[in-house]
Amino acid sequence: MTEPDAIGALSAAFPGRIRTARLADLTTWRIGGDASVLEADSPGMLEEVTGTARDLGVRIFVLGRGSNILASDSGCDGLVIRLSGAFRRILWRRDGDLWRVEAGASAMLPGLAGASCMKGAAGLEFAVGIPGTVGGAVFMNAGAYGASISELVYSVRYLSEKGWVTAGREGCGFGYRTSAFQSSTGIVASVALELRAGDAAALMESASGILRKRRESFPLKLPNAGSVFRRTEGAPPPGRLIEEAGLKGRRAGGAMISDLHANFIVNTGGASSGDVTDLVGDARRAVFETSGVSLVEEIRYLGRFGGQTGGR
Ligand SMILES: Cc1cc2nc3c(=O)[nH]c(=O)nc-3n(C[C@H](O)[C@H](O)[C@H](O)COP(=O)(O)OP(=O)(O)OC[C@H]3O[C@@H](n4cnc5c(N)ncnc54)[C@H](O)[C@@H]3O)c2cc1C
């Protein structure tokens, strides 16, 4: 069966649930063509859809808030699944000096971090300005200012090809901006976090300070996907390397290497995915020539790029 036929069969199995959507509307870079998208609003629905998709040979891509994604202008094949409904739930429980929080994968990280501060639960302040979902944060091991979500994870519940699994932190293979989910097909459904009890007023002040700092250092007024490149161990931060290579402000079509923070590429209006990949290539080449460092992307690719299909 061809992929369009398989998507047709999937649509017939889940009437009215699969729509065609522009990835530009589902990603913070506001770039990307059409995709078949389904919202799974319960664990049962997710299990059913992924099982049927597997039987039909349909590839699956789980999209969170799309804040770390470059989606191709030519869209993507297969099925994009977004989690909603029951996956947004957050449960709080105070246990002496600990707060135990169970957050659904599609809960937004800034909302969760802000609510933690207000409740007097410490540890997530670093995440107030990271505009992704909890599931995306676990997948990426999102972090900032020397902290990352993995340090707070007690367990992660995910759907594997063999069924539901609850893995403790050790079983999640966390590293710098990486997790075991990047090399598996597991779909994160929820995460249990352990936060320390703290002073709500002090936590809120700390979170406000972090937001202020981010507003000053990052080009937040134009669509972007955060840091384009990962840090290389032992090397200066990618932003500094790109700046030293003289690329701040470099443009390709509607995309530009930010003149505020060179590890951000902003969409100044109508940028294509090709404009962004041109700048990514320019930055990699220039940084290698000037410093010998081979930059590696932190962003993830979705869809078709020059004969290659970006996926998980
Ligand atoms: C302005 C801005 C600032 C940012 N600052 C930071 C920062 O300080 N630190 C940082 O770490 N990141 C930062 N980011 C990047 C991004 O917000 C994080 O990587 C975030 O964790 C991605 O979450 P998401 O829901 O948007 O995931 P997406 O971008 O939608 O997806 C990212 C990857 O996660 C996978 N994924 C998403 N949800 C699931 C799930 N439930 N199960 C399995 N796989 C899943 C996707 O398949 C994809 O491969 C920033 C981005 C922006 C736009």
Side-chain angles (χ1 to χ4, degrees):
M1 203 185 292
T2 64
E3 190 138 87
D5 287 345
I7 290 280
L10 200 57
S11 296
F14 298 92
R17 301 302 294 249
I18 298 178
R19 67 193 165 101
T20 301
R22 267 166 50 81
L23 292 167
D25 295 330
L26 304 178
T27 55
T28 56
W29 237 330
R30 309 204 66 76
I31 293 172
D34 286 349
S36 299
V37 179
L38 175 140
E39 308 258 339
D41 53 16
S42 69
M45 164 96 186
L46 181 64
E47 203 177 331
E48 240 185 282
V49 168
T50 50
T52 312
R54 209 170 27 250
D55 291 346
L56 290 166
V58 173
R59 275 171 296 168
I60 284 172
F61 185 88
V62 182
L63 188 63
R65 175 58 192 92
S67 65
N68 203 40
I69 299 280
L70 179 61
S72 166
D73 291 327
S74 43
C76 82
D77 303 325
L79 180 69
V80 170
I81 296 183
R82 297 175 82 218
L83 305 179
S84 60
F87 293 105
R88 292 205 184 100
R89 221 169 273 153
I90 300 177
L91 300 171
W92 302 85
R93 188 161 56 88
R94 175 97 188 241
D95 197 353
D97 274 351
L98 276 185
W99 275 96
R100 298 184 193 277
V101 188
E102 194 180 317
S106 66
M108 287 298 293
L109 197 56
L112 178 65
S116 303
C117 294
M118 281 193 273
K119 283 182 182 286
L124 266 177
E125 305 83 83
F126 75 88
V128 279
I130 302 181
T133 60
V134 164
V138 168
F139 181 96
M140 293 301 302
N141 190 15
Y145 311 112
S148 63
I149 193 148
S150 58
E151 291 143 34
L152 307 168
V153 167
Y154 178 74
S155 64
V156 174
R157 183 149 175 82
Y158 66 95
L159 181 61
S160 76
E161 288 186 14
K162 293 188 184 137
W164 290 100
V165 180
T166 301
R169 182 188 0 197
E170 303 309 318
C172 295
F174 288 120
Y176 168 71
R177 298 293 172 273
T178 186
S179 72
F181 302 103
Q182 295 183 12
S183 50
S184 81
T185 54
I187 300 177
V188 176
S190 65
V191 59
L193 302 172
E194 278 187 347
L195 309 180
R196 281 166 291 107
D199 176 62
L203 292 172
M204 284 195 284
E205 201 179 315
S206 157
S208 304
I210 287 173
L211 285 176
R212 214 170 22 249
K213 193 166 157 189
R214 292 174 72 95
R215 272 196 299 270
E216 285 162 8
S217 4
F218 300 154
L220 301 182
K221 291 197 176 123
L222 289 170
N224 67 79
S227 297
V228 172
F229 297 102
R230 310 157 57 90
R231 276 171 180 261
T232 306
E233 215 181 318
R240 190 173 338 143
L241 293 171
I242 298 168
E243 184 173 351
E244 283 169 4
L247 261 61
K248 250 188 172 179
R250 153 105 38 143
R251 287 174 182 265
M256 182 177 87
I257 295 183
S258 166
D259 45 19
L260 182 62
H261 192 307
N263 199 19
F264 280 60
I265 293 178
V266 291
N267 180 353
T268 64
S272 67
S273 55
D275 294 340
V276 174
T277 53
D278 283 352
L279 290 180
V280 167
D282 289 350
R284 292 187 62 153
R285 270 187 300 278
V287 165
F288 187 72
E289 276 162 24
T290 52
S291 67
V293 174
S294 297
L295 290 178
V296 174
E297 291 97 310
E298 183 170 314
I299 52 163
R300 317 278 304 177
Y301 292 91
L302 171 56
R304 277 165 265 132
F305 286 89
Q308 298 226 333
T309 300
R312 308 208 70 189

